[in-house]
Every structure is written in C-alpha cells, then in structure tokens.
Amino acid sequence: MEKYVKEYNLRTYECDKNGYLRIVTLFNILQDMADSHASDLGLGMEYCLSKGFAWVGANYHVKINRMPKIHEDIKIITWPSEQRKIGAIRDFAVYDNEGNLIITATSQWILIDFVRKRPMALKDNLPEYTVINEHSMVSDFEKLRAPSRIDYQKTFSIRFDDIDINMHVNNSLYPLWASETLSNVFRDDYLPSEIEISFKKEGHLGEDVQVTTEQNAEETIHSIISLNDNRELSNVRIKWIKK
C-alpha cells in the first residue's frame, strides 16, 4: 500500500467570483482522489459494481488553513488510514506549491449492498483491503445537531446533473447547498475554515430539498431535508474565518 499523489492546477471555472476554490470543487476533488486511488488498487467503482456493492460516503471532516486560489498549483495526497467493521477511514492532505500544508481532511466510507442498500462487512467482501496506519487529522465524526432556530432557509430542486453514478445526489452538493443559504455579504467577507458533514439519506432526481440554517457569529449549523417526505438527508456544520 502506497499513498496516492496527484497535482491539480486550479482552473477559472473551479473558483468563485473572488478567485477562491469553490467549496463544491474541493469536495469533488476529494471524491476524485478517493475514486482514483481505489481504482489504482483494483478496488474502484467498476470492480465494486461488478460485485454488487458500492462505497458510500458517510462523513467528512475538513480543516482549511488556507483556501487556494485561481491558477494555483496544489498537490493532494490520500490514503486509507483505518479499517472498520463495515467501512473504512480515508485521509487527505493538500499542499501548496511551496510545500505548505493548507488543507487536511478525513472521511468515513461505508461498503453497501448496491441492490439492498444495506451495509456489508469489509473483511468478508474486500479481504484484500489494507490501510496505512497514519492520519492527517483525527475526527470522532461526532453527531451533528440540527439547527435550533431558523436564521436562513432556502429550497433547491434536485436536477439531472446533481445525480451521480450511484443514482443519488452527489455528496459535494450538500456543503454547496448549506453555504448558499447564507447572505452574499457574509460570503464576500468570510471563507470556510472547517467543514463537517454527516450524510444520512439519499437524495433523488426531481425532489425538492429545504436547507435550514442557524448562524452563530462565525459558525453555521445546517439541516437538509427532502420536502417530498421530510426525511433528513444531511447535517452540516461550517466554521468561517474573516478574509
């Protein structure tokens, strides 16, 4: 087992109007790294689907020392850092072109039966799965609470392009929806410094989702539910820092 390393040059369309890497792009890059490494190990999407199972993200915890900017070169390293009964922990480290560590992240992934949508034991179904016992950061993936009041609320419709190969909303959309509830003035002045996400249920094409936000100074708490049946899809907590 070796760590997987990839370099990215941040393109104009991957950055926001102020030139900073978009939150949605950051999570897309992390997903791309996880998928690429799994495929490199022979345990990627195609292999899993051929066996009738899939990797599903359950949690993310990201700490951002500095958000990279347009045209900047970054290097990302990822590796499976811990094996659990029905899933695994995957860590990430992001460096700028001067070798400074600018982002750390850890994530929890569950192996599920693709048809029955039930968790599967990792050792029984992927006995060849191995890890590197090293963490870029440690997280308990603590339970995230729902907002205790409504400071902001916004509704989004799940579009065709929001659906990924697993036939549900791509994970990167949840932190995007959460951040989109906040005022433009706040977003112009603040950048995320820490993001925690708990994924609970799948979102599907054609559904409307409602994002409720509680803001306490530089911390925001978000709950995302489907208006079709009121099931909670995700909880998000974001800490912000003034630019």
Side-chain angles (χ1 to χ4, degrees), residues 5 18 24 27 31-32 40 42 58-59 61 102 108 112-113 119 123 136 167 177 179 207 214 220 222-223 233:
V5 182
N18 297 312
V24 65
F27 281 88
Q31 287 184 53
D32 177 58
D40 195 55
N59 302 86
H61 192 168
I102 58 174
Q108 184 168 214
I112 66 164
D113 184 302
K123 286 185 177 180
S136 66
M167 304 308 293
W177 288 335
S179 63
E207 290 186 299
E214 170 192 338
T220 55
H222 312 265
S223 174
L233 306 182

Side-chain angles (χ1 to χ4, degrees), residues 19-178:
Y20 290 95
L21 178 66
R22 297 178 191 270
I23 293 175
V24 65
T25 309
L26 171 61
F27 281 88
N28 279 331
I29 289 174
L30 297 182
Q31 287 184 53
D32 177 58
M33 289 291 295
D35 177 68
S36 296
H37 193 200
S39 296
D40 195 55
L41 296 171
L43 304 172
M45 178 186 66
E46 293 82 1
Y47 174 81
C48 288
L49 290 178
S50 73
K51 298 295 184 181
F53 47 78
W55 287 108
V56 174
N59 302 86
Y60 270 101
H61 192 168
V62 180
K63 292 185 177 180
I64 303 165
N65 298 322
R66 179 180 71 80
M67 189 66 91
K69 300 196 73 173
I70 188 170
H71 296 152
E72 189 170 345
D73 293 318
I74 59 174
K75 180 174 72 174
I76 306 181
I77 305 173
T78 186
W79 64 98
S81 58
E82 186 180 336
Q83 185 175 144
R84 296 187 174 179
K85 183 177 180 180
I86 58 172
I89 306 301
R90 174 173 285 275
D91 284 25
F92 305 84
V94 183
Y95 296 86
D96 64 18
N97 59 6
E98 295 181 354
N100 299 307
L101 180 63
I102 58 174
I103 299 173
T104 56
T106 186
S107 57
Q108 184 168 214
W109 298 79
I110 307 299
L111 193 67
I112 66 164
D113 184 302
F114 193 75
V115 176
R116 296 189 298 165
K117 305 296 184 183
R118 293 180 179 177
M120 305 170 66
L122 187 61
K123 286 185 177 180
D124 294 341
N125 294 278
L126 285 180
E128 62 272 45
Y129 193 85
T130 58
V131 303
I132 298 173
N133 293 310
E134 178 186 338
H135 288 281
S136 66
M137 59 175 283
V138 176
S139 175
D140 295 330
F141 300 113
E142 65 182 51
K143 183 178 180 179
L144 301 178
R145 69 173 179 86
S148 59
R149 64 176 186 271
I150 301 174
D151 292 327
Y152 300 97
Q153 200 167 59
K154 187 174 285 190
T155 300
F156 300 89
S157 294
I158 298 178
R159 308 165 301 177
F160 182 91
D161 284 338
D162 295 333
I163 305 300
D164 63 19
I165 195 68
N166 290 323
M167 304 308 293
H168 55 71
V169 171
N170 186 271
N171 288 346
S172 64
L173 271 296
Y174 295 105
L176 171 66
W177 288 335

Side-chain angles (χ1 to χ4, degrees), residues 199-214:
F199 303 104
K200 294 187 171 184
K201 300 290 183 181
E202 299 173 352
H204 301 288
L205 180 63
E207 290 186 299
D208 290 325
V209 297
Q210 186 176 72
V211 185
T212 300
T213 296
E214 170 192 338

